[in-house]
Amino acid sequence: MDPVSLELVGSRSVTKAHIGLPWLAITGTDPESVKLDSADQLPGLEGNLEAAFVAERETWWSLGRKLFAQPTGDVSHAAACASFGSDLGLMLAWVRLVSDLTVSEKNCVVICDDPWVYRALAALPGIRAKTPPNMFVPELRYCVRGFAARLKNAIRLAWTSIKTHGFVSQVQNKKGALIVYAHPQSRVDGFDAYFGDLLQVEPELVRLLHTDGPLERANELCADGRSASLHAFGNPFFALFRLPFVRWRPVGLVTSAPHLWLIRRAAVLENSGAGPALNRWQLHCQDRWLDRAKPNAVAWPWENFAWERGLVRSARSRGIRSIGYQHTVVGPHHFNYSPNGNPDNHESLPDQIVCNGPAYRDDLLAFGNPIDRIVNGGAFRFKNSRQQRFDPKGPVFIPLSANLKIAKQQISAARVIDRSGRKALLKPHPMYPIGITPEQNLEVTDVPFERQENISVMLYTTGASGLEGLLSGVPCVRLRLPDQISIDVLPEGVATPTTTIETVVSTISSVPMIEPLQWSNIYSSPDYDLWRQLLN
């Protein structure tokens, strides 16, 4: 079939001639600027975009192997195929979706204000493109903003390194260590949001705080006498004189158009903040800690991110056992959990990968992780609670995503539910708060789901909340979006209904009651003997 000619325009180039034609707007295009009838928007966009995202995972892995192998690839989220940390996979999905449309029977208008994605789409056969949006101005603006962000953070990190140095002695000469994020639910009594009571059960363990934790939180947790921030091991002069100039710099022609434009976009966006510099600081601090503390083993919440691959290589070169503990959930969209994106394949994987339970063991194996490295250590974060929280008369519980772009659309869905006369209960993410104005049937809570009662339906997008709901007997619905991917985290064989903002009221009104998901099919109780064996 010959390619159908699709018209690619910016939102300002939409004219009366486009009225009545099917259309779609690429991520990054302001919906308010699209002066076309929403009834003409291409139907099924949410599901088709997600299907294209999954179909492009091999492409992303292939690009990731090339990019991560480059000199600065070890500080990039895109090069690590991090589904939640980078939107490169989403942009690959858009290119695939539009490419598929060019060989369909349907003409449509593709509206795109993103200068890099516009050029990537214009390179496709079957596309009629007008003059692309200006790229020089946004690249210059992002460049200036990025340097300012790196300089600001360099000063902050140098100061934090100096102020936390006094805690270094608390984590010296210990056999086993945990690297953790400074989660709000972690406590000074040794309870940790990621490793539960393992620090309390094993008094010889020490806790190292990831460098994403602020100084104030580090001071709070380090008061336990057995914790320290990794900031304390960093060199302040390294922070001040190296970090302002750290960028992710893809070099050489690693691919051809249209992917070349998407890689350029990913680099510009990552370098527009302090992300690459913060990754370089984490790598610097953890290497200096390994040299100084010389633990026998180190464990951390594992997601196969860039800093973790560096930790594995550094630990192995020093004869230190590396133990990656599955970070909350693994789902079909978590491409970063696969070694297929690692340029050195299994070499960047931990010596031991500890999963939460039988379902996730299977998922990790399906992603290509070697069976001889995977053990089941049980779940610290997810307890086997038999309490059912379902109440058909209760509110719709909406846990907001850590992705603020997704969270804003969840709030829009909540307002649709509110206008229908049904009560919606919004729970902001604890680490990524967002301002919300309550309405008549829309309330905001800081009470997590495990302490909620009488919930009729959970409307979720990303994170482990959907699984928590199913385990408690609460019907769950995953909200799909027309310009973002709601990262599916459910294990193989577990599924929930999906909906869109437009259909959310009818979907949640017709979702059937469910029996609680069998906890032992997903998770296992913590195996303390195994953890002692691994960490000692």
Side-chain angles (χ1 to χ4, degrees), residues 401-416:
S401 171
N403 183 324
L404 295 183
K405 293 178 182 178
I406 293 178
K408 289 178 181 178
Q409 296 193 61
Q410 287 181 275
I411 295 171
S412 297
R415 299 201 187 284
V416 172

Side-chain angles (χ1 to χ4, degrees), residues 219-455:
N219 287 336
E220 290 175 13
L221 294 177
C222 291
D224 65 355
R226 54 193 295 206
S227 297
S229 172
L230 281 170
H231 286 296
F233 294 88
N235 185 333
F237 294 103
F238 180 91
L240 289 172
F241 299 112
R242 286 286 305 278
L243 295 187
F245 307 101
V246 172
R247 293 187 299 151
W248 173 38
R249 306 183 186 194
V251 294
L253 190 62
V254 297
T255 185
S256 58
H259 297 154
L260 187 62
W261 291 112
L262 302 186
I263 292 170
R264 180 170 176 173
R265 174 187 182 274
V268 168
L269 294 186
E270 289 202 29
N271 292 329
S272 70
L278 294 175
N279 274 337
R280 180 64 68 211
W281 178 247
Q282 171 69 20
L283 291 165
H284 165 78
C285 291
Q286 66 193 24
D287 281 358
R288 287 167 62 89
W289 164 66
L290 290 174
D291 283 335
R292 184 164 178 176
K294 297 180 174 62
N296 288 349
V298 55
W300 70 96
W302 177 70
E303 298 173 271
N304 198 27
F305 284 166
W307 72 268
E308 302 172 56
R309 298 180 189 183
L311 177 63
V312 169
R313 292 192 297 270
S314 294
R316 188 167 292 139
S317 68
R318 293 164 173 82
I320 298 169
R321 183 186 302 118
S322 57
I323 304 160
Y325 181 44
Q326 174 202 322
H327 183 279
T328 64
V329 287
V330 180
H333 294 164
H334 277 137
F335 307 149
N336 46 284
Y337 274 108
S338 173
N340 291 337
N342 295 2
D344 55 5
N345 199 10
H346 296 170
E347 289 302 309
S348 291
L349 296 179
D351 298 324
Q352 206 77 66
I353 299 172
V354 183
C355 63
N356 287 183
Y360 291 116
R361 177 184 181 275
D362 294 343
D363 283 355
L364 290 171
L365 287 173
F367 266 136
N369 291 286
I371 190 171
D372 60 331
R373 294 198 195 182
I374 302 177
V375 293
N376 182 5
F380 288 107
R381 293 187 71 175
F382 301 97
K383 302 300 182 183
N384 188 3
S385 172
R386 302 183 185 277
Q387 179 181 353
Q388 294 197 30
R389 309 180 192 280
F390 173 69
D391 179 354
K393 298 181 180 179
V396 179
F397 185 74
I398 308 176
L400 296 187
S401 171
N403 183 324
L404 295 183
K405 293 178 182 178
I406 293 178
K408 289 178 181 178
Q409 296 193 61
Q410 287 181 275
I411 295 171
S412 297
R415 299 201 187 284
V416 172
I417 295 170
D418 165 54
R419 290 193 293 270
S420 75
R422 192 160 178 176
K423 185 177 178 180
L425 187 61
L426 283 167
K427 165 65 173 64
H429 193 282
M431 299 181 75
Y432 301 92
I434 184 172
I436 306 168
T437 303
E439 297 183 13
Q440 182 178 359
N441 294 308
L442 191 155
E443 296 182 5
V444 182
T445 181
D446 60 357
V447 178
F449 176 75
E450 61 266 23
R451 287 165 37 207
Q452 292 285 346
E453 296 180 357
N454 308 322
I455 301 297

Side-chain angles (χ1 to χ4, degrees), residues 472-485:
S472 299
V474 174
C476 296
V477 176
R478 183 163 62 91
L479 179 66
R480 282 175 168 169
L481 304 170
D483 64 345
Q484 299 288 332
I485 301 297

